Amino acid sequence: MMLAENVVELTIASQLEFIDLVTTLTDNITHMIGFDDESAYWVNMAVRESVANAVEHGNKYDPQKSVDIRFTIGVDALRVTIRDHGEGFDPSTLPDPLDPNNLLNPAGRGILYMRTFMDSVEYERHPEGGMIATMSKRRAPKLAGQESGEGDHKHDAVRN
Amino acid sequence: MMLAENVVELTIASQLEFIDLVTTLTDNITHMIGFDDESAYWVNMAVRESVANAVEHGNKYDPQKSVDIRFTIGVDALRVTIRDHGEGFDPSTLPDPLDPNNLLNPAGRGILYMRTFMDSVEYERHPEGGMIATMSKRRAPKLAGQESGEGDHKHDAVRN
Amino acid sequence: MQLEIRERTIGEVTILDLIGKITIGDGSVQLRDAVNHLLEAGRNRIILNLGGVTYVDSSGIGELVSRFTTTKGTGGKLKLLNLPKKIKDLLMITKLLTVFEIHEDEQAAIESFQ
Amino acid sequence: MQLEIRERTIGEVTILDLIGKITIGDGSVQLRDAVNHLLEAGRNRIILNLGGVTYVDSSGIGELVSRFTTTKGTGGKLKLLNLPKKIKDLLMITKLLTVFEIHEDEQAAIESFQ
Ligand SMILES: Nc1ncnc2c1ncn2[C@@H]1O[C@H](COP(=O)(O)OP(=O)(O)O)[C@@H](O)[C@H]1O
Ligand SMILES: Nc1ncnc2c1ncn2[C@@H]1O[C@H](COP(=O)(O)OP(=O)(O)O)[C@@H](O)[C@H]1O
């Protein structure tokens, strides 16, 4: 397979047992590219939430459906995409977990976690079915006045 | 993607820095399925050798070529396949690293490592190019007289 | 096992010392079982000591909330003790800090049931 | 950094204390550089103390062999000290146990150069 030089991909069957494999790989990648422990901890948790949603709501625990996780190590940011093979959903119609009426709900806080811990979270439907969540986290605090995009450059470096 | 329920796949770009990601994932999987520390250590090393060969000899460090690693968690054995996208080679024509004349060679011991640490190692050419190394390691010592195959059964279990 | 739960009884109060991770699957289920087990035995004055908890995902937070409401439903109370910084952050983010009764001192937590 | 190398000088003998992993890439390169650096300075009585080495892949074993032959080429000697069990296993598997001079006692290793 052709692959950009700064990409690592992991594919798991839809089993909760495998989520720890994804978060440990996440830890290794954030550690390798120099995230501090605190940032790495929250990225780990955001990835866990997104993969758990893909297993639970997306693939509905169908062990034959995979969850595909892709890490793109950009110069400025780590991008993680999580894809499932379910029916998809519309994130704009979800109940707000912070609404006082919802505070005692037993669920519904995963996407809030993701949005809180990452710099950006976006959802789209995959043309061949399933959802793709794309999350990114800056590698270092931006210097004041620095306006360049935080995306991936032509020549991405594993270590900066 | 459709996937057997007991499969985990990792794809890396051909960078030596990424090999540690593969071996740590290997450790997590062997630990999850109950390998003892000693066996896990040697499986880790066999996987490292095979991935290093794929990066170095197979893909020749071309960062656009991937190494694709697949872990199949069978009831009786863990199977690991490592695929590269290089020109392939004929393993039957390699010099024997244990030949007295070769003992001081600076290289040529990787496949010996693999064959020593795993229960089986097989090479084949992928129809679309590149080599596939398939290695397997039994999950528990066989009981005396137990003759059943060590392959993967219809209903594989992550934990046994 | 990602979550270890130790049970201590002080008069009518039960303290569950939780050590490890409360996450989707095993961890959340263990917590649910442990609390439900107490409630079935009529022991509904419960303190969860989170001092040894390193990680709570959204499923774990949901489990804390639902054990809280279930305990309340039996006329009892479930209180939290010794929140590590990160778990406090999570309760803040989810606006649950004021929902739970939270203690930093075990003795005070026990006495709060009297 | 996967390999840490500390240098000690005892008379004409240099001991390199190696701690960590000797693997393809960084670890092997560091070892090569450290030994070559000594040889360039004319210090070719070298003891590699492997007591702190936890992991040596085939590239690392190859590096040990080539530093051994390079040192020999200068009329010097490179000896091994304090082999952990697993590293000994690896030298056995590769039939290199009898190629290297291996010591278990540092003082004896130093004196063996006299
Ligand atoms: N990958 C997904 N596929 C389908 N639906 C999803 C997916 N991720 C999230 N959802 C929907 O969004 C809702 C909110 O998700 P989340 O905030 O993570 O909370 P929870 O998982 O606890 O319900 C889920 O209940 C589900 O209906
Ligand atoms: N994936 C591969 N693709 C092409 N050639 C390979 C591959 N793996 C091994 N080889 C060939 O086999 C030889 C022996 O490999 P190995 O025993 O691992 O030792 P080393 O990697 O130190 O040379 C290599 O030098 C190379 O020529």
Side-chain angles (χ1 to χ4, degrees):
Chain A
M1 192 173 61
M2 297 304 279
L3 196 77
E5 67 193 57
N6 57 339
V7 167
V8 173
E9 291 181 349
L10 180 66
T11 296
I12 60 168
S14 294
Q15 302 211 42
L16 291 182
E17 281 88 351
F18 289 161
I19 296 181
D20 282 346
L21 302 177
V22 187
T23 53
T24 307
L25 179 65
T26 305
D27 286 346
N28 292 329
I29 291 173
T30 49
H31 181 249
M32 178 176 76
I33 65 175
F35 276 65
D36 60 44
D37 289 350
E38 181 85 8
S39 310
Y41 181 95
W42 299 118
V43 172
N44 171 312
M45 204 170 273
V47 170
R48 164 178 292 276
E49 294 297 333
S50 185
V51 175
N53 278 351
V55 169
E56 188 182 356
H57 306 300
N59 293 345
K60 298 196 185 344
Y61 295 100
D62 179 344
Q64 308 269 301
K65 288 185 176 166
S66 70
V67 179
D68 312 319
I69 304 104
R70 170 191 287 243
F71 300 87
T72 307
I73 302 166
V75 173
D76 299 327
L78 173 67
R79 195 173 67 221
V80 189
T81 62
I82 293 93
R83 188 197 165 185
D84 64 56
H85 298 260
E87 289 168 11
F89 74 112
D90 179 355
S92 68
T93 63
L94 298 175
D96 176 4
L98 300 182
D99 182 303
N101 294 321
N102 295 332
L103 285 185
L104 293 180
N105 281 0
R109 298 176 184 85
I111 295 173
L112 169 65
Y113 263 50
M114 292 158 59
R115 294 201 192 278
T116 306
F117 305 146
M118 303 297 281
D119 293 319
S120 72
V121 177
E122 277 159 41
Y123 278 100
E124 60 191 307
R125 286 173 192 272
H126 193 284
E128 291 160 26
M131 285 308 275
I132 310 176
T134 301
M135 316 192 288
S136 79
K137 183 85 171 177
R138 275 190 298 277
R139 293 177 64 173
K142 260 191 192 167
L143 298 177
Q146 191 181 326
E147 285 298 316
S148 78
E150 68 192 48
D152 310 311
H153 292 201
K154 257 258 127 78
H155 297 286
D156 286 325
V158 170
R159 299 165 192 274
N160 67 359
Chain B
M1 191 170 66
M2 297 305 278
L3 197 78
E5 66 193 56
N6 57 340
V7 168
V8 173
E9 292 180 350
L10 181 65
T11 297
I12 59 167
S14 292
Q15 304 212 42
L16 291 183
E17 281 88 350
F18 289 161
I19 296 181
D20 283 345
L21 301 178
V22 187
T23 53
T24 307
L25 180 66
T26 305
D27 286 345
N28 291 329
I29 290 172
T30 50
H31 181 250
M32 178 175 76
I33 66 176
F35 276 66
D36 60 44
D37 289 350
E38 182 86 6
S39 311
Y41 181 95
W42 299 119
V43 172
N44 170 313
M45 207 171 270
V47 171
R48 163 179 292 276
E49 294 297 334
S50 185
V51 175
N53 278 351
V55 169
E56 187 182 354
H57 305 299
N59 293 346
K60 299 197 186 343
Y61 295 101
D62 179 345
Q64 307 270 301
K65 287 185 175 166
S66 69
V67 179
D68 312 319
I69 304 106
R70 171 191 287 243
F71 301 87
T72 306
I73 302 166
V75 173
D76 298 326
L78 173 67
R79 194 174 69 219
V80 189
T81 63
I82 293 92
R83 187 197 166 187
D84 63 55
H85 298 262
E87 287 168 11
F89 73 111
D90 179 356
S92 69
T93 62
L94 297 176
D96 176 3
L98 300 181
D99 183 302
N101 294 321
N102 296 332
L103 284 187
L104 292 180
N105 281 359
R109 298 174 182 87
I111 295 172
L112 169 66
Y113 262 50
M114 290 159 57
R115 294 202 192 279
T116 307
F117 305 145
M118 303 298 281
D119 293 320
S120 72
V121 176
E122 278 160 40
Y123 278 99
E124 60 190 307
R125 285 174 192 271
H126 192 283
E128 291 160 26
M131 285 309 274
I132 309 175
T134 301
M135 317 192 286
S136 78
K137 182 84 172 177
R138 276 190 297 277
R139 293 180 62 174
K142 261 192 191 163
L143 298 177
Q146 188 180 327
E147 285 297 319
S148 78
E150 69 192 47
D152 311 312
H153 292 201
K154 256 259 131 74
H155 298 283
D156 285 325
V158 170
R159 300 163 191 276
N160 67 356
Chain C
M1 199 144 74
Q2 36 182 3
L3 183 66
E4 192 188 322
I5 304 181
R6 296 191 197 138
E7 188 177 320
R8 289 185 285 142
T9 308
I10 293 108
E12 298 199 325
V13 177
T14 307
I15 301 182
L16 296 180
D17 297 307
L18 308 186
I19 297 138
K21 301 179 177 196
I22 313 178
T23 54
I24 189 167
D26 291 353
S28 290
V29 170
Q30 281 170 256
L31 173 60
R32 184 182 325 163
D33 290 351
V35 171
N36 289 357
H37 190 77
L38 292 178
L39 296 181
E40 281 159 23
R43 301 194 59 83
N44 61 10
R45 299 172 176 202
I46 302 171
I47 297 172
L48 298 184
N49 175 8
L50 301 180
V53 173
T54 55
Y55 193 104
V56 183
D57 70 4
S58 76
S59 160
I61 290 282
E63 201 54 52
L64 288 177
V65 170
S66 62
R67 283 324 97 204
F68 170 82
T69 50
T70 306
T71 307
K72 206 166 171 181
T74 72
K77 273 195 173 158
L78 181 142
K79 308 181 180 189
L80 305 183
L81 175 66
N82 288 335
L83 261 60
K85 165 88 171 68
K86 288 208 172 73
I87 315 305
K88 206 169 213 165
D89 288 349
L90 291 170
L91 291 182
M92 186 135 58
I93 289 160
T94 52
K95 293 206 176 159
L96 290 167
L97 264 188
T98 54
V99 167
F100 289 104
E101 184 177 323
I102 298 171
H103 290 268
E104 296 188 353
D105 180 76
E106 182 170 311
Q107 200 49 42
I110 295 169
E111 285 165 10
S112 74
F113 279 100
Q114 269 129 35
Chain D
M1 201 142 75
Q2 37 183 0
L3 184 65
E4 191 187 322
I5 305 182
R6 296 189 198 140
E7 188 178 321
R8 289 185 284 142
T9 308
I10 293 108
E12 297 198 327
V13 176
T14 305
I15 302 182
L16 295 180
D17 296 308
L18 308 186
I19 298 138
K21 302 180 176 194
I22 313 178
T23 53
I24 188 169
D26 291 354
S28 290
V29 170
Q30 281 169 257
L31 174 58
R32 183 181 326 161
D33 290 350
V35 171
N36 289 357
H37 190 78
L38 292 177
L39 297 181
E40 282 158 23
R43 301 196 59 83
N44 60 10
R45 299 174 175 201
I46 301 172
I47 298 172
L48 298 183
N49 175 8
L50 302 180
V53 172
T54 55
Y55 194 103
V56 184
D57 69 5
S58 76
S59 159
I61 290 282
E63 200 54 53
L64 288 176
V65 170
S66 61
R67 282 326 95 204
F68 170 83
T69 49
T70 305
T71 306
K72 206 167 174 181
T74 71
K77 271 193 175 162
L78 180 141
K79 308 182 179 189
L80 305 183
L81 174 67
N82 289 333
L83 261 59
K85 166 91 171 62
K86 289 209 170 72
I87 314 303
K88 206 169 213 161
D89 288 349
L90 290 171
L91 291 180
M92 185 136 60
I93 290 161
T94 51
K95 293 206 176 158
L96 291 167
L97 263 187
T98 54
V99 167
F100 289 102
E101 184 177 322
I102 297 171
H103 290 268
E104 295 187 354
D105 179 77
E106 183 170 311
Q107 200 48 42
I110 295 168
E111 285 164 9
S112 74
F113 279 100
Q114 269 128 37

